[in-house]
Amino acid sequence: MAVKILTEHINVPGINTFDVYRKMGGYTAVEKALKKMTPEEVVEEVKKSGVRGRGGAGFPMGMKWSFLAKPEGVPRYLVCNADESEPGTFKDHFLMREIPHLLIEGMIVSSFALGANKSFIYVRGELMYVIHILEKAIAEAKAAGFLGKNILGSGYDLELVVQPGGGAYICGEETALLESLEGKRGNPRNKPPFPAVKGLYQSPTVVNNVESIANTPWIVNNGGEAYASLGIGRSTGTKLISASGHINKPGVYEIPLGITVEDFIYADEWCGGIRPGHHLKAVIAGGSSVPILPANLILNLANGEKRLMTYESLSDGGFATGTMLGSGGFIAMDETACVVRNTWTFARFYHHESCGQCSPCREGTGWMDKVLERIEHGKGNMHDIDLLVDVAKKIEGNTICPLGDAAAWPVASAIRHFRDEFEWHVKHPQEATQPGAVYRGAMELV
Amino acid sequence: MTDITPPITFTPERLAKAQEIIARYPAGKQKSALLPLLHLAQEQYGWVSSDIMDYVAGLLSILPIEVYEVASFYTMFHLDPVGKHVIEYCRTGPCCLMGGEDVYGHLKQKLGIDTGETTPDGKFTLKEVECLAACGWGPVFQIREKYYMNLTNSKVDEIIEELSKD
Ligand SMILES: Cc1cc2nc3c(=O)[nH]c(=O)nc-3n(C[C@H](O)[C@H](O)[C@H](O)COP(=O)(O)O)c2cc1C
Ligand code: SF4
Ligand code: FES
């Protein structure tokens, strides 16, 4: 059995309560860190672990922590990003709902390491029921002396605040999140200054994803080297993958980084294969923003080797034949899925979620939404397909925040790998607009 | 005729809760309480009118415009009156792959309304929303704080019949 860092006890009845969580070894990392370690030592272990940010960008967490400015007399903040709104991604939702104390424990050791005395968990507002779960967990931890003033007699004080969002994907972008947390519209900030220097309330701030923070208790308990010994190369540890679409067992899985994509899709331990009687057509491996790949390319690298579930292997081949691990939102499609329609729902999503600050993103996402809608509804022409590629190119790299890129990549990659399907919609509008109609031309299914 | 509209004010419990929320932030940063307070207001009134926004501005000692611009940015706040139960269904790709479009079609037919509309009896409003972070448990909709997941036509029937009772 693979090592489980986050979900080992997730099926223990009552694990959402303090008592059961504690009985299963919970909060020992807080005891160890606060009583036996200095903040610098905790940072050092996280550095050694090689754990990379689990929110999508994969930036090394220890390195991010070491960038935090420490001017005298200025408070520092840790903000946990629980905005989770990237289509295909529902791992943080699962983790917070099932084992809330793991995040609370992680927030305590991480805040201690960074020298923060007030830390925030920014949860998307739709998950109000999860916010109540977290607030209850915080109250329990406080009653047991793990939060508040002078925790465990160590002299360290910490208060945790759970903040609801209001329904806006862009608030997952870290500077938009900080704006939102200050009670403003979620408009991303220009960088620099980076949050590590001027973040929340213009103070030095670290923003980390839920899953990133949830890894820290294990790292404190077992040491960074033990963590780094799991996984492959620069993809250390485990990763939560939220799997959806046409697989037998949709859900959230904690995988050791390094299993093959094939195993992840077909093994009973994970997704359990494609629905009976159907075949794999395409996969979006890391949430809606990453390039879609056809079945043969997601399973195998260009050189014929099997593709692995790691940051490096998934991105092997660049955008020509590769994709990204992203947030771990793994969306599988069989031959009944229409790539054009799916791409359109994503374009519509980004259009809806663009904050509107930069014109390439605001206008470009609108164009892509409209043109894709046209093609999907049998009203497109051949020129539209090139127009989409052109618009995607013009957005990419020309915006304040990465939402623009995130909107461009799915469209560009869908056309790159499934151009026939777009052309079929244009050439056979009547056929393509029948309910449930899907392109059945030449394509490699697995 | 005298104006019989009761003045906007939080219930005593919510007012206490609002004070507790405001106290969470560093001194002078009370504006951070804006989203939590708008949620609180919507919980009480079902939507946020401009009077309600003015009231929230007063509680936070900020300008009304600071509340309007925020409330209109975030999709969760209803700036117009809505039905008793607002059904917010996820229209994004993964939910569609899980069979969403059929189920939502059934839902619309059952209620006899389209997205953005309210049933004539004022019981249900339908709203299309983007990914609710429940993609593998889709199709999914949300009514207030509750998630309804793995929806099927018959599940939708049960839910609507249950909610129609009150
Ligand atoms: C449009 C957009 C949406 C994002 N949404 C999320 C999100 O929901 N959750 C998250 O953790 N990171 C999200 N990110 C990434 C954050 O900006 C940031 O990199 C991350 O929270 C850092 O945490 P990590 O280093 O632990 O991954 C998003 C980025 C962009 C550009
Ligand atoms: S890229 Fe889009 S979402 Fe990001 S700041 Fe510009 S307009 Fe806003
Ligand atoms: S796509 Fe519907 S919940 Fe994510």
Side-chain angles (χ1 to χ4, degrees):
Chain A
M1 272 301 278
V3 178
K4 299 265 199 281
I5 288 177
L6 306 167
T7 58
E8 190 185 351
H9 303 302
I10 210 144
N11 292 320
V12 175
I15 195 69
N16 59 342
T17 63
F18 178 85
D19 291 341
V20 175
Y21 181 78
R22 180 86 173 121
K23 221 173 275 155
M24 301 310 295
Y27 288 100
T28 48
V30 175
E31 291 170 312
K32 184 170 174 187
L34 270 58
K35 289 184 178 165
K36 302 207 180 104
M37 295 170 81
T38 63
E40 294 72 26
E41 283 168 347
V42 178
V43 174
E44 199 48 42
E45 291 308 317
V46 170
K47 267 194 190 159
K48 278 193 219 152
S49 76
V51 63
R52 291 164 67 175
R54 303 300 196 216
F59 191 81
M61 190 170 177
M63 202 187 295
K64 181 185 266 189
W65 284 14
S66 60
F67 289 156
L68 185 68
K70 296 184 174 155
E72 276 301 309
V74 179
R76 302 192 279 275
Y77 294 104
L78 170 65
V79 178
C80 172
N81 188 343
D83 191 55
E84 194 167 68
S85 312
E86 167 102 352
T89 315
F90 51 103
K91 65 186 179 76
D92 299 336
H93 178 181
F94 173 76
L95 203 66
M96 293 187 290
R97 178 183 78 191
E98 301 296 325
I99 186 163
H101 284 282
L102 180 64
L103 177 61
I104 306 306
E105 183 177 8
M107 286 299 286
I108 301 169
V109 297
S110 303
S111 301
F112 171 73
L114 298 167
N117 298 111
K118 190 188 277 288
S119 296
F120 295 86
I121 307 175
Y122 181 100
V123 186
R124 63 177 298 174
E126 291 88 343
L127 291 179
M128 201 56 89
Y129 85 98
V130 173
I131 290 177
H132 297 320
I133 291 172
L134 289 172
E135 281 177 338
K136 178 165 167 280
I138 287 172
E140 287 174 340
K142 196 165 186 174
F146 286 94
L147 277 171
K149 293 240 174 292
N150 192 18
I151 299 171
L152 306 178
S154 65
Y156 175 62
D157 306 336
L158 176 66
E159 227 184 295
L160 281 187
V161 176
V162 186
Q163 180 83 357
Y169 167 66
I170 191 56
C171 292
E173 193 281 332
E174 57 186 12
T175 60
L177 187 153
L178 297 175
E179 287 287 295
S180 180
L181 189 41
E182 292 179 4
K184 298 184 233 158
R185 296 163 72 95
N187 288 342
R189 297 176 182 168
N190 267 307
K191 296 191 238 184
F194 288 91
V197 179
K198 281 190 177 1
L200 183 65
Y201 310 131
Q202 295 296 307
S203 293
T205 302
V206 164
V207 181
N208 271 132
N209 172 257
V210 172
E211 184 187 348
S212 310
I213 291 169
N215 272 300
T216 58
W218 196 95
I219 294 171
V220 165
N221 282 328
N222 299 277
E225 270 163 33
Y227 190 93
S229 73
L230 305 168
I232 294 184
R234 288 179 55 238
S235 294
T236 61
T238 65
K239 177 83 187 82
L240 289 178
I241 306 288
S242 57
S244 62
H246 298 147
I247 44 179
N248 282 319
K249 296 190 297 165
V252 178
Y253 299 101
E254 182 177 7
I255 62 159
L257 282 165
I259 62 170
T260 62
V261 176
E262 184 175 295
D263 243 9
F264 181 65
I265 297 177
Y266 294 98
D268 281 339
E269 197 178 350
W270 320 113
C271 302
I274 303 302
R275 299 187 297 178
H278 294 276
H279 297 278
L280 183 66
K281 173 178 175 180
V283 166
I284 297 164
S288 60
S289 306
V290 313
I292 185 173
L293 287 183
N296 56 338
L297 281 182
I298 187 69
L299 294 172
N300 305 299
L301 303 177
N303 68 6
E305 281 175 26
K306 287 195 189 310
R307 201 183 280 279
L308 309 180
M309 296 289 285
T310 62
Y311 290 94
E312 293 75 22
S313 189
L314 283 166
S315 61
D316 188 280
F319 278 5
T321 58
T323 179
M324 293 191 288
L325 178 60
S327 59
F330 193 95
I331 308 164
M333 302 180 195
D334 67 22
E335 78 288 349
T336 66
C338 175
V339 169
V340 176
R341 190 167 187 82
N342 193 71
T343 308
W344 170 47
T345 75
F346 285 173
R348 182 175 63 182
F349 168 83
Y350 290 107
H351 180 205
H352 184 260
E353 301 299 332
S354 167
C355 85
Q357 274 192 115
C358 352
S359 30
C361 171
R362 183 186 60 238
E363 303 301 322
T365 54
W367 273 64
M368 294 197 299
D369 176 7
K370 257 189 246 143
V371 174
L372 278 161
E373 179 174 18
R374 197 151 78 204
I375 298 175
E376 164 64 13
H377 292 96
K379 301 198 176 84
N381 58 48
M382 286 309 212
H383 171 71
D384 280 340
I385 300 173
D386 295 319
L387 179 65
L388 282 172
V389 175
D390 191 48
V391 173
K393 261 197 211 122
K394 291 205 165 103
I395 300 174
E396 209 183 326
N398 290 320
T399 54
I400 294 177
C401 92
L403 185 140
D405 300 341
W409 295 339
V411 175
S413 62
I415 296 175
R416 186 180 311 125
H417 298 298
F418 296 91
R419 194 173 184 108
D420 288 357
E421 199 163 334
F422 286 82
E423 292 186 355
W424 177 74
H425 275 75
V426 170
K427 288 187 207 153
H428 305 280
Q430 252 141 6
E431 210 182 318
T433 49
Q434 296 301 311
V438 181
Y439 174 67
R440 299 289 173 133
M443 70 180 136
E444 286 183 66
L445 299 172
V446 175
Chain B
M1 230 175 80
T2 51
D3 185 0
I4 52 156
T5 318
I8 300 288
T9 174
F10 276 146
T11 58
E13 303 78 52
R14 285 200 181 83
L15 197 56
K17 175 97 187 155
Q19 298 308 345
E20 184 236 306
I21 291 171
I22 294 168
R24 290 174 182 174
Y25 309 98
K29 307 297 182 195
Q30 78 283 1
K31 190 173 169 180
S32 281
L34 181 47
L35 288 180
L37 259 53
L38 285 171
H39 281 296
L40 213 53
Q42 184 155 293
E43 182 188 282
Q44 179 170 330
Y45 287 101
W47 65 297
V48 281
S49 64
S50 52
D51 287 350
I52 293 171
M53 290 191 265
D54 293 347
Y55 172 71
V56 169
L59 287 177
L60 293 177
S61 313
I62 58 179
L63 297 172
I65 180 72
E66 294 178 83
V67 183
Y68 304 161
E69 64 172 12
V70 163
S72 61
F73 182 85
Y74 296 92
T75 54
M76 286 184 76
F77 303 113
H78 310 308
L79 302 182
D80 293 299
V82 286
K84 181 161 185 204
H85 305 289
V86 183
I87 305 179
E88 297 176 291
Y89 65 90
C90 167
R91 70 176 184 182
T92 318
C95 270
C96 297
L97 293 176
M98 308 292 285
E101 283 164 329
D102 290 344
V103 171
Y104 306 145
H106 178 76
L107 171 66
K108 289 177 194 170
Q109 209 172 19
K110 174 124 189 133
L111 294 176
I113 55 173
D114 205 347
T115 295
E117 295 177 349
T118 299
T119 52
D121 62 3
K123 279 220 166 126
F124 296 97
T125 297
L126 267 188
K127 249 183 102 174
E128 216 168 41
V129 297
E130 300 291 358
C131 180
L132 289 168
C135 326
W137 310 307
V140 53
F141 62 56
Q142 168 164 42
I143 303 176
R144 290 221 170 196
E145 294 187 7
K146 198 167 154 68
Y147 270 59
Y148 296 83
M149 303 189 271
N150 300 306
L151 292 170
T152 57
N153 288 0
S154 60
K155 249 188 172 168
V156 166
D157 290 344
E158 275 169 41
I159 295 162
I160 299 300
E161 268 141 44
E162 190 56 41
L163 292 175
S164 298
K165 285 184 199 147
D166 61 25

